[in-house]
Amino acid sequence: TFKAVILVGGPSRATRFRPLSLDVPKPLFPVAGAPVISHHLRALTKVDGLKEVLIIGFFEDNVFSRFVDDAASEFPDLNIRYLREYQELGTAGGLYHFRDEILRGNPQQFFVIHVDIASAFPLNEMVEAHMKHRGLCTMLGTKVPREQATKYGCLVAKPSTNEVLHYVEKPDSFISDLISCGIFLFDTAVFGEMKKAIDRKKDSTEENDYLWTPSDDKLRLEQDLLRPLSEQRKLYVHVTEKFWRQIKTAGSSIPANAAYLELIKKESPQKLAQTKQGGPEIIGPVYIHPSAHVDPTAKIGPNVSIGPRVTVGKGVRIRDSIILDNVQIGTASCVLHSVIGWNSKIGTWARVEGSPASDHNIDMMKNGVKSQSITILGKEVLVADEVIVRNCIVLPHKELKSSFHSEILM
Ligand code: GTP
C-alpha cells in the first residue's frame, strides 16, 4: 500500500506569487477551475492502494480546514489531513517530524509531492519503475531547455539503469538538462537515511558552531537527503515527457491553467464549456463556473478559466486567462494572457493584456530588463472604460483611469 505527502510550505514563502497570494495561499489558488492542490489529489486517486494523503505545511490550521472538508466530499476514497509544522522545518524536516503518521498502517512506499507544480502526474509509471530497482527513491525527472536548467535541481543519470549519479540543486553552471520535477516515491526505509542526515547535520554544526546559519535547523530533501542517496546509488529517476510546469510566480499560473485544461479535455471533457446555440462562442478548452454569466455574443478561449459569479458583457473577447470570482467585464472589452483578481471591474471597450508566455520562461527580457509577460490584476482593481493595461502587475484596490504599459502599479 501507498501513502502520499503534499508539501505546501507556509505563508512566508509565496512572495513571488504576489499580488495573488495576498488574498489566497498559493496551494488554494484556482487553476482550470480547481485549487492548485486539487489537481494533485485527483492524480493520487488513480494510484491503486493509496488511501491517505497528508498535507504538510506551516500555514495555520484554519487555512486548510475548509479545503480539507470540501476535498473529503470530492475525493471520498482518500483520507485527507492537514498536519502543521510548529515552525518551518524544511522540505524533509516535516516528513521526519511526522514520520509516525506516515508509517501508521505500514505502507511500503509513500509519495512526496511539491505543491508548487502542475503536472500530468505519471504516478503509476513511477510505481512501475520503482519496483524494477533496489533503490530507496524514484524521482520524476524531465528535460527542460538548456538555458533554463540551472534554475532547477539538476541530475545526471546513467541512461541504461536510470541510476542518479549526481544531484545538484540550482547549479552555478550547466551540468544537465534533466531536472527534478518535485515528485518522489520513497520506500519507508528512507527514514533511516533521514536520521543519518540529521545526525550528520548535528555533528557538523557542533564542530563549526560559529558557522551556524538559520537553515541549519531545517532538513532539506534535495541537499541533505537526495544527494547522499545518489552517492550511495540508492536514487533513481523516471524521466517523463508528459507535461510539467512550475507554479512559482503569479504569471506561471497561466501556462499551468492551459496545460490542465488540455488534460481535462482528454479525461473529462464534460467539465468544460461547449459552444451551444444561444451561448457564447467557445474556442479550445475553456472552464466556466456554473454561476458565471457570459453574454452569448462573447468569444472565449482557448485556455480560459472563468470563476464563480463572474459576468462577461456583450462582444467581450477573452483568451489565455484566469478570471477569478465575481469579476465584471464590460461590453466589447478584451482580456488576453492575464489573471484578473477577485471582484475586479473592467469597464467597456477596455483592453487588459499580457504577452504569450513561453513554456518554461514566464519572465520576458525587454531591452535587457526583465519585464512581466502576463498581466496580473490584484483583488478589487477597477479599470475604467477604454483604458489599456499591457504587461503590468497591478496591486489590489487600484483604480486605473488611464493606460499603462510594462509597469508595476502599487
Ligand atoms: P525555490 O522556491 O526556487 O527555492 O525552489 P524549489 O522548487 O526548490 O522550492 P522549495 O524547495 O523551497 O519548495 C518545494 C516545495 O516544498 C514547495 O511546494 C514548498 O511549498 C514546500 N516547502 C518548502 N519549504 C517547506 C517547509 O519548510 N515545510 C513544508 N511543509 N513545505 C515546504
Side-chain angles (χ1 to χ4, degrees):
T1 61
F2 300 96
K3 281 204 192 182
V5 171
I6 304 175
L7 294 172
V8 294
S12 61
R13 294 199 58 87
T15 50
R16 281 171 293 175
F17 205 66
R18 283 183 193 151
L20 301 173
S21 58
L22 296 172
D23 296 293
V24 68
K26 188 163 73 169
L28 300 182
F29 183 79
V31 291
V36 167
I37 190 172
S38 279
H39 298 282
H40 296 51
L41 295 174
R42 184 164 37 92
L44 287 164
T45 60
K46 296 181 187 142
V47 178
D48 274 344
L50 194 151
K51 299 265 172 291
E52 187 170 317
V53 183
L54 304 172
I55 299 170
I56 300 184
F58 50 98
F59 289 99
E60 305 266 336
D61 289 309
N62 62 12
V63 171
F64 281 93
S65 48
R66 201 162 133 220
F67 172 77
V68 168
D69 289 348
D70 292 350
S73 48
E74 195 182 345
F75 307 105
D77 295 336
L78 295 178
N79 173 10
I80 303 164
R81 282 188 297 150
Y82 176 66
L83 302 177
R84 185 184 175 193
E85 292 169 19
Y86 57 95
Q87 64 175 64
E88 187 172 352
L89 296 175
T91 39
L95 299 177
Y96 192 72
H97 183 72
F98 291 113
R99 61 191 177 283
D100 292 345
E101 296 288 342
I102 297 171
L103 292 170
R104 180 168 302 156
N106 290 322
Q108 278 114 32
Q109 276 98 21
F110 62 100
F111 285 98
V112 173
I113 310 183
H114 291 177
V115 84
D116 54 0
I117 55 164
S119 171
F121 294 109
L123 304 178
N124 285 314
E125 289 176 24
M126 289 177 72
V127 170
E128 214 175 290
H130 191 75
M131 299 311 169
K132 288 188 185 142
H133 62 69
R134 304 175 63 90
L136 284 180
C137 175
T138 301
M139 62 195 296
L140 190 69
T142 193
K143 296 210 168 184
V144 295
R146 207 187 147 88
E147 64 282 4
Q148 304 284 326
T150 54
K151 292 198 299 195
Y152 301 95
C154 293
L155 39 121
V156 178
K158 196 166 157 184
S160 55
T161 60
N162 290 326
E163 263 174 286
V164 177
L165 306 174
H166 299 289
Y167 182 90
V168 189
E169 180 70 15
K170 301 194 183 82
D172 294 331
S173 57
F174 180 82
I175 63 159
S176 169
D177 61 353
L178 183 61
I179 61 137
S180 167
C181 294
I183 307 179
F184 310 90
L185 179 60
F186 287 104
D187 279 2
T188 45
V190 79
F191 285 111
E193 298 300 321
M194 280 192 207
K195 176 79 174 63
K196 287 185 208 160
I198 289 169
D199 292 343
R200 273 195 300 273
K201 280 206 115 159
K202 270 194 198 133
D203 291 347
S204 66
T205 38
E206 271 161 25
E207 278 162 31
N208 304 306
D209 241 358
Y210 58 97
L211 289 177
W212 191 87
T213 66
S215 71
D216 284 345
D217 56 349
K218 293 196 230 160
L219 192 66
R220 299 161 305 174
L221 193 66
E222 286 81 1
Q223 294 92 325
D224 301 328
L225 188 66
L226 296 181
R227 263 185 98 141
L229 281 185
S230 81
E231 283 158 14
Q232 300 166 47
R233 298 285 176 272
K234 287 181 181 159
L235 179 62
Y236 288 74
V237 61
H238 173 70
V239 181
T240 186
E241 283 175 9
K242 295 191 171 143
F243 98 81
W244 177 86
R245 308 249 184 303
Q246 262 189 321
I247 305 182
K248 286 287 180 198
T249 60
S252 60
S253 61
I254 291 297
N257 182 57
Y260 275 139
L261 286 169
E262 203 56 59
L263 194 72
I264 295 170
K265 192 172 114 183
K266 289 198 198 101
E267 289 183 355
S268 32
Q270 73 285 359
K271 288 187 182 163
L272 298 182
Q274 318 289 339
T275 302
K276 287 197 200 105
Q277 213 176 6
E281 183 181 347
I282 304 291
I283 304 157
V286 169
Y287 170 82
I288 301 178
H289 190 275
S291 64
H293 176 76
V294 180
D295 190 272
T297 58
K299 189 167 161 182
I300 315 287
N303 309 325
V304 173
S305 294
I306 295 182
R309 298 178 307 281
V310 167
T311 54
V312 174
K314 284 191 178 56
V316 165
R317 177 77 180 101
I318 309 177
R319 64 170 298 169
D320 295 289
S321 295
I322 297 176
I323 315 295
L324 294 165
D325 311 20
N326 211 23
V327 165
Q328 294 174 28
I329 303 177
T331 302
S333 285
C334 188
V335 177
L336 313 172
H337 307 286
S338 298
V339 180
I340 309 299
W342 305 265
N343 306 335
S344 289
K345 282 199 181 99
I346 297 174
T348 59
W349 297 91
R351 246 182 120 80
V352 177
E353 72 177 299
S355 314
S358 81
D359 264 10
H360 283 279
N361 197 5
I362 36 85
D363 300 316
M364 273 193 322
M365 295 299 284
K366 238 191 234 154
N367 306 326
V369 182
K370 203 157 120 184
S371 79
Q372 176 73 12
S373 56
I374 300 295
T375 286
I376 316 274
L377 304 190
K379 187 179 183 178
E380 283 167 24
V381 167
L382 302 180
V383 176
D385 297 346
E386 291 167 47
V387 157
I388 301 173
V389 184
R390 190 171 286 152
N391 300 122
C392 287
I393 296 184
V394 186
L395 268 69
H397 313 295
K398 285 286 299 180
E399 204 175 331
L400 305 183
K401 292 182 178 152
S402 58
S403 295
F404 291 92
H405 186 231
S406 299
E407 278 187 65
I408 296 178
L409 302 163
M410 320 236 230

